[in-house]
């Protein structure tokens, strides 16, 4: 029940305490949770940009419909996808598999070659849509870990992705921003913290056979 209580505690924080900064060990937990999230084929077509810079956050806030959480959060996490995923990216993944698991190349080759051919035949937009779906998996993991660690957060889609990419120079890293997660500690006067959570009854959202 600890996890359920944690999820009941969390909410989309509307106002952060700008003077409360997450300790480095909490930030490290979020980075590790990001890296441990499940992704399709295990390929991890994602990178996480971690921002703790109030001047930069103020600029990003202007590109986020002036949502104040961006400017007042302890840190802003920007979840990005790889813009291109092809043969080199896939081969690099399988190098990790060989190094970590000592799996013979003859065992890995059939699956590796299948993925290379499969991705080669897909349109770029389809690949980016697939990668974006992995970003939502990551967001779910981070929201849950934040709740368990009593870190406040607010998931966001409402931002100017291309402007973020330009400001953060993400093109240099072959990345595209897709989701934003400001994190920190709620302000004592955020009235939304005390609101009861509104959810449909369990019997309306779960089907059992």
């Amino acid at each position: 029940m600890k996890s359920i209580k944690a999820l009941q505690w969390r909410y989309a924080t509307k106002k952060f305490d700008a003077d409360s900064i997450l300790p480095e060990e909490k930030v490290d937990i979020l980075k590790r949770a990001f890296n441990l999230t499940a992704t399709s084929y295990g390929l991890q077509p994602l990178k996480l940009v971690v921002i703790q810079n109030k001047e930069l956050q103020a600029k990003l806030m202007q590109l986020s419909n002036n949502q104040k959480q961006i400017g007042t959060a302890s840190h802003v996490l920007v979840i990005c996808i790889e813009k291109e995923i092809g043969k080199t990216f896939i081969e690099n993944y399988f190098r990790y598999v060989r190094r970590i698991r000592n799996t013979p190349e003859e065992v890995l080759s059939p699956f590796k070659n299948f993925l290379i051919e499969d991705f080669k035949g897909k349109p770029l937009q389809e690949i980016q849509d697939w990668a974006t779906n992995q970003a939502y998996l990551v967001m779910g993991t981070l929201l849950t870990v934040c709740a368990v660690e009593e870190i406040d957060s607010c998931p966001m889609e409402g931002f100017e992705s291309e402007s973020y990419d330009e400001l953060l120079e993400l093109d240099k890293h072959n990345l595209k921003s897709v989701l934003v997660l400001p994190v920190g500690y709620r302000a004592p006067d955020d009235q939304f913290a005390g609101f009861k959570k509104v959810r449909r009854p369990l019997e309306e959202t779960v089907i059992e056979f």
Side-chain angles (χ1 to χ4, degrees):
M1 290 299 292
K2 288 182 179 179
S3 57
I4 298 301
K5 287 181 178 179
L7 292 173
Q8 289 173 332
W9 171 85
R10 72 150 296 277
Y11 73 110
T13 304
K14 300 299 185 290
K15 186 177 182 181
F16 286 98
D17 182 346
D19 296 322
S20 295
I21 305 300
L22 290 176
E24 189 56 41
E25 57 265 27
K26 292 286 188 181
V27 179
D28 187 61
I29 288 171
L30 295 180
K31 290 188 287 189
R32 290 173 180 269
F34 165 82
N35 203 46
L36 287 168
T37 297
T39 58
S40 182
Y41 305 122
L43 286 177
Q44 291 183 282
L46 310 162
K47 285 190 179 176
L48 184 69
V49 177
V50 181
I51 300 165
Q52 186 191 11
N53 180 313
K54 285 295 188 284
E55 183 178 343
L56 179 56
Q57 288 172 229
K59 293 178 181 178
L60 292 172
M61 186 175 72
Q62 295 175 15
L63 305 175
S64 311
N65 297 317
N66 285 312
Q67 297 179 83
K68 298 190 185 309
Q69 297 99 314
I70 298 291
T72 58
S74 169
H75 293 67
V76 175
L77 310 182
V78 183
I79 303 172
C80 304
I81 62 169
E82 300 276 352
K83 292 172 70 174
E84 296 179 12
I85 301 166
K87 181 179 179 181
T88 300
F89 186 90
I90 293 169
E91 287 180 336
N92 286 339
Y93 166 72
F94 280 93
R95 287 193 187 97
Y96 283 118
V97 176
R98 283 200 306 274
R99 190 178 73 190
I100 294 170
R101 296 179 176 173
N102 294 316
T103 308
E105 176 63 27
E106 58 267 24
V107 174
L108 294 176
S109 286
F111 186 42
K112 179 185 71 175
N113 293 335
F114 161 76
L115 289 178
I116 290 172
E117 287 301 312
D118 187 50
F119 275 81
K120 186 170 68 174
K122 294 181 186 295
L124 179 60
Q125 187 60 55
E126 183 178 341
I127 292 175
Q128 291 188 352
D129 289 344
W130 167 82
T132 299
N133 289 338
Q134 314 313 305
Y136 281 94
L137 290 176
V138 164
M139 178 68 87
T141 296
L142 290 174
L143 288 173
T144 302
V145 171
C146 280
V148 171
E149 295 293 329
E150 295 189 344
I151 299 169
D152 288 297
S153 61
C154 184
M156 291 184 177
E157 294 178 306
F159 69 101
E160 299 172 22
S161 176
E162 291 183 2
S163 298
Y164 261 59
D165 297 353
E166 183 178 355
L167 180 60
L168 299 174
E169 299 183 329
L170 296 182
D171 192 55
K172 291 181 179 179
H173 304 279
N174 196 41
L175 298 174
K176 174 181 173 59
S177 59
V178 293
L179 292 169
V180 177
L181 183 67
V183 295
Y185 296 112
R186 64 189 71 177
D189 60 345
D190 186 355
Q191 60 178 334
F192 288 89
F195 287 2
K196 290 185 177 180
K197 194 175 291 295
V198 178
R199 292 293 186 273
R200 293 163 60 192
L202 198 61
E203 57 269 21
E204 290 187 12
T205 59
V206 177
I207 299 173
E208 296 183 272
F209 289 94

